[in-house]
Amino acid sequence: MTAAPQNVALLGATGSIGRSTLDVIAASAGRYQCYLLTAHQKLDELAAAARQFVPRYVVATDAEAAASRDWSDLPADTELRIGPDAIAELVAHDDVDIVVAAIVGRAGLEGTWAALEAGKRVALANKETLVLAGGLAMRLAAERNAQILPVDSEHSAIFQALQAGKSNEVARIILTASGGPFRHHTLEQLEQVTTAEALNHPTWKMGPKITIDSATMMNKALEVIEARWLFDMPAEKIDVVVHPQSVVHSLVEYVDGSVMAQLSPPDMKLPIQYAMSYPERFPGPARRLDFTIASAWEFQPPDFDRFPALLLGKEAAERGGTTGAVLNAANEAAVQSFLDGEISFTDISRACRAALDSHDFDPNPTIDQLLALDAWARREVSAWITCC
């Protein structure tokens, strides 16, 4: 490589997306180097990554956890910063070329927002940014000449398939869903699902929150909202199909009946690399399909009765405004309550439905309103759990 490596700010370096991003950087033959690595509480893993990649900065966002650790094992050329405010400052630095936004949930919003304000290329794994404030985020990106490139395998697939035609030639986009571990469960069986069962995903290895979202199919609901904003596509042109093998990552149907799909083994390193390298491609560490092995791929319509989260996502994508922020926050709170043993698996969608029905809808909110509603929805779920 003769060109200077691009500096990568990796927000959420110790999660599943963060670790895969580090694999991509390590295999990039000098195309990329770490400028910033962040983590919340997995600080030993953060320090280990710093020793391997020697970034200019590491940020430990949990001040209490950071204060209790001896940081003498950091490389001499790596500076420690503590607290979430440091992320917003450092992603805006002139030396940063790419920001990989991989912090899960609402906590990832501020760093992503700061990167967009600074006009950076954002490889976006944090779907909550677009779910919570999609219209505002896309407007900000346009105003600051920032780029949002999708890391979600489904949205990366759509992004690639959309290059086969013009936007006015798209009939619909089709998000594929693995269906999670319970696609054959009855409603009665879903009522009895345990935390351990819900955390056992048949295809993907992910963090606990995202794994539960996959089991409820809320992840697909959030992806419908994300796709609505990312591709400027009305909700009625966004469909979901269950594809248990997770090889066809999504499809785009054009007005002439042609359907374009992106296929690859279920490995997040490929969409991460493409979000970083677009429009170029180069050999990377992602696994390849082996067409010498016989295989079959299934496609099934989703069951909205057993997985009502999908309807919540469709509603939020259609209405826009404040609905995405409320749904996202309510889901985060409900999932944590399920993981803590406070509610049942099927209560997750019920709690989200209750929060959506109770909130004061605004079609044109400000970012401050959305953040206030985020906090309100979490309180509303706690109240719902207490009374119901």
Side-chain angles (χ1 to χ4, degrees), residues 95 106 129 209 213 227 229 247 253-254 286 302 332 367:
D95 289 341
R106 155 69 180 82
T129 295
K209 193 268 180 184
D213 281 351
W229 297 113
V247 172
E253 180 181 340
Y254 288 91
E332 285 192 18
I367 188 65

Side-chain angles (χ1 to χ4, degrees), residues 18 164 221 224 286 299 324 330 337 367:
V224 168
F299 299 93
S337 294
I367 188 65

Side-chain angles (χ1 to χ4, degrees), residues 246-283:
S246 298
V247 172
V248 179
H249 295 295
S250 278
L251 312 96
V252 174
E253 180 181 340
Y254 288 91
V255 292
D256 62 357
S258 297
V259 178
M260 302 295 173
Q262 186 268 330
L263 290 70
S264 61
D267 186 337
M268 289 304 300
K269 289 187 281 291
L270 180 57
I272 292 167
Q273 178 173 306
Y274 193 62
M276 294 169 64
S277 69
Y278 173 80
E280 298 179 355
R281 296 181 186 267
F282 60 85

